[in-house]
Structures are given as C-alpha cells and as structure tokens.
Amino acid sequence: MTAPARRMTPQRAEILAELRAAHDHPTAADLYERLRPRLPRLSLGTVYRNLDLLVAAGLAAKLTAAGAEARYDGRPAPHDHARCRACGAVADVPALPEPDLPRLPDGFAVEVRHLEYVGLCATCRRRVGAHAAPAAGLAPGA
Amino acid sequence: MTAPARRMTPQRAEILAELRAAHDHPTAADLYERLRPRLPRLSLGTVYRNLDLLVAAGLAAKLTAAGAEARYDGRPAPHDHARCRACGAVADVPALPEPDLPRLPDGFAVEVRHLEYVGLCATCRRRVGAHAAPAAGLAPGA
DNA sequence: GTAAATGCAAATTGTTTGCTTACTG
DNA sequence: CAGTAAGCAAACAATTTGCATTTAC
C-alpha cells in the first residue's frame, strides 16, 4: 500500500518541467529529443518510466490516438482536445460545461472524462481535402 | 479518387458479422480467436486489414486506450464509452445530447466526437479499491 | 549506506507489409 | 480474365523490462 519513496532526480525534474512548458502534447520521443541537449545521457526508457509515474500521480495525462504514438499532456486544468487525423497534431480546446453524466454501467465510478474531437486541421484540410470521409459502398446491412 | 473495387469474401463477411454481433468491443485478436473455429485458415493480418477497411468505410470505430490494444466497435448509432482502467473492459453508454461545439482551432473541421469515461467498473472497484487515484507527493509546483 | 533511478540493450507486444497463391466479379 | 484479397512470415515501431551502476536522501 505504501508507495515507494520517490527521489527527485535531475531527469525527473527536467521531464516534468519540459512537459509543463510544452504546448503541443509531445510524445515521449519528442520530450527525449528536446531534453537531450540538456541531458546528453538521458535515455528514452527513463522518459517512459517517468511519464508513467507522472500519469499515475495524476500530474499528466496520456493521450492515445488510433494507432499513433501516445502523447502527453502536462496541464492540470480540465480541457478537451482536437486531433487532426491527417497530421496527428493535438490542440487544446476549452471544456464545455457538461450538464450531467449519462446512464453509466451499474456501479461504475468515473474518474476522468476524456473528450476528443477528431477531424482535419486547417492546414491538412487544404492539403488533403475531403479524404476517406465517412462514406462507403461496402456493407449489405445498414 | 476512385476507391478500388471491393470484393465480398467469406472472411470479410464473417469479420463484419462477428463484429456486429459482439457487444464487448473486441480486439483484433479477440475476433481472430472467435472466428478460427469457423475459418481455420484465417490469419490475423486479414483481420487487421479488414478492420482497417471497415473503419475507413465508417462501418466500425477503432477505440484506442492508453497503451492497451485497440478495440473495435461495430455499432453504428452514436454513443459513448465507459472504460475500466483496471480490467480494460469497455461498455457503451448512451450519448448525451451535446449542446454545441467548443471553440475549436481556426479552420478545424470536426468529423467525429469521441467521448470516453474512464474509471473503475463495479467488479474492479470492489477488488482493487481506491488505487493509484489522483494523489501524489511528487511535484513541487501545483 | 541503501533503496530507488538511470542508462543501455535486449525483449515484448501490437500492428503493418511484401510476396505468392487463391478466388470474386 | 483481371485484379483484389488471403495467408504466411518477416519487418516494424512503440513501449517495456532486466541488470549493473550511479546517486539522492
């Protein structure tokens, strides 16, 4: 039950600082690259280990996209996300005041709500246009 | 622009049928296992290829959790999800009529909204109790 | 001094891809 | 027939893990 004592190493401090300073929801590899100038011996494994820790501690959120690399968010205030399905970029959007919770499964205890809008950002919209948009001629039923 | 002509193979039909019949948001491997009795020569690669196709066609949705395996949802009606962070199970929840969209990035074209409630299901709540709940003694600021 | 954390590399895991053969339209 | 899809295995990419060494407390 007692969580192991934590040590504040330079790596840990820098990872947390960098994540908090970042506005672009960096991936683990992004953070690794950004920190390497300052911490030349840093390893990617350490980045992953510390990110996991931060997430477990509630200090960061892990954002997972379909297939893509996980991105991390170090901002505490509740907000939602807009993700471009073409370039993968994730932007913050202000949280709507949500009226109430839906009919959840019996006994389910909600801890966090994760709301994401997926679509095309302005740049990709111009470049790829209407692509693979919901439309099909594949299935018999529905 | 012209999508390649699609053929309806037995594998494709079975995968789609199984996904539609499933109520538990199966992973690709789940579907593979369920179909093997009927299609002994089926390969996992085929399952993935067809699921991608179904998703691209808008007939299925790919649900990605933090780190975990992707799960697939073959139900057309818009609804949201409740995911247990302990056992990974995903249940459907009725969609709340969402009033309007938040202030999205300039020029962002929303295609889908993805809303997920993460927490503990009744079973896991009992078993693991209050675990790794948002609480920490790790960071200096905030 | 001691347990926790790092660095490094190897191991896992989920998913994708290349290529040959089979089969739908 | 023409060309898509399946099967299989190898390739890949992201993430995790084992272990010896370092380091914060």
Side-chain angles (χ1 to χ4, degrees), chain A residues 10-65:
Chain A
Q11 291 87 335
R12 182 160 300 163
E14 292 290 350
I15 289 168
L16 178 53
E18 191 70 39
L19 180 58
R20 282 190 170 153
H23 280 233
D24 61 342
H25 309 84
T27 64
D30 287 339
L31 289 169
Y32 174 65
E33 284 305 330
R34 289 175 203 179
L35 291 169
R36 274 184 51 166
R38 265 181 289 166
L39 301 168
R41 309 193 57 89
L42 180 66
S43 80
L44 193 48
T46 295
V47 176
Y48 275 110
R49 269 191 280 236
N50 277 292
L51 286 173
D52 277 358
L53 216 56
L54 293 174
V55 170
L59 295 171
K62 187 175 186 176
L63 313 176
T64 20

Side-chain angles (χ1 to χ4, degrees), chain B residues 74-138:
Chain B
R75 340 213 115 224
H79 60 268
D80 301 322
H81 295 109
R83 179 193 308 270
C84 177
R85 71 164 156 83
C87 68
V90 176
D92 288 338
V93 305
L96 286 180
E98 174 118 2
D100 29 42
L101 292 171
R103 203 167 287 79
L104 289 158
D106 241 43
F108 189 91
V110 179
E111 292 169 354
V112 287
R113 201 190 61 141
H114 191 154
L115 174 55
E116 180 174 86
Y117 300 90
V118 182
L120 287 178
C121 70
T123 314
C124 291
R125 194 182 185 179
R126 210 161 285 122
R127 201 172 48 240
V128 308
H131 223 211
L138 189 59

Side-chain angles (χ1 to χ4, degrees), chain B residues 1 26 37 63 71 78 92 102:
Chain B
M1 197 101 286
L63 313 177
R71 287 167 171 274
D92 288 338

Side-chain angles (χ1 to χ4, degrees), chain A residues 44-133:
Chain A
L44 193 48
T46 295
V47 176
Y48 275 110
R49 269 191 280 236
N50 277 292
L51 286 173
D52 277 358
L53 216 56
L54 293 174
V55 170
L59 295 171
K62 187 175 186 176
L63 313 176
T64 20
E69 254 171 298
R71 288 167 171 274
Y72 293 84
D73 187 330
R75 336 214 117 224
H79 59 268
D80 300 322
H81 295 109
R83 179 193 307 270
C84 176
R85 69 164 159 84
C87 68
V90 175
D92 287 338
V93 306
L96 284 180
E98 174 120 2
D100 30 39
L101 292 171
R103 202 167 289 80
L104 289 159
D106 242 42
F108 190 90
V110 180
E111 292 170 353
V112 286
R113 201 191 60 143
H114 191 152
L115 174 55
E116 181 174 87
Y117 300 90
V118 182
L120 287 177
C121 70
T123 314
C124 291
R125 194 182 185 181
R126 211 162 284 122
R127 198 169 52 240
V128 308
H131 224 212

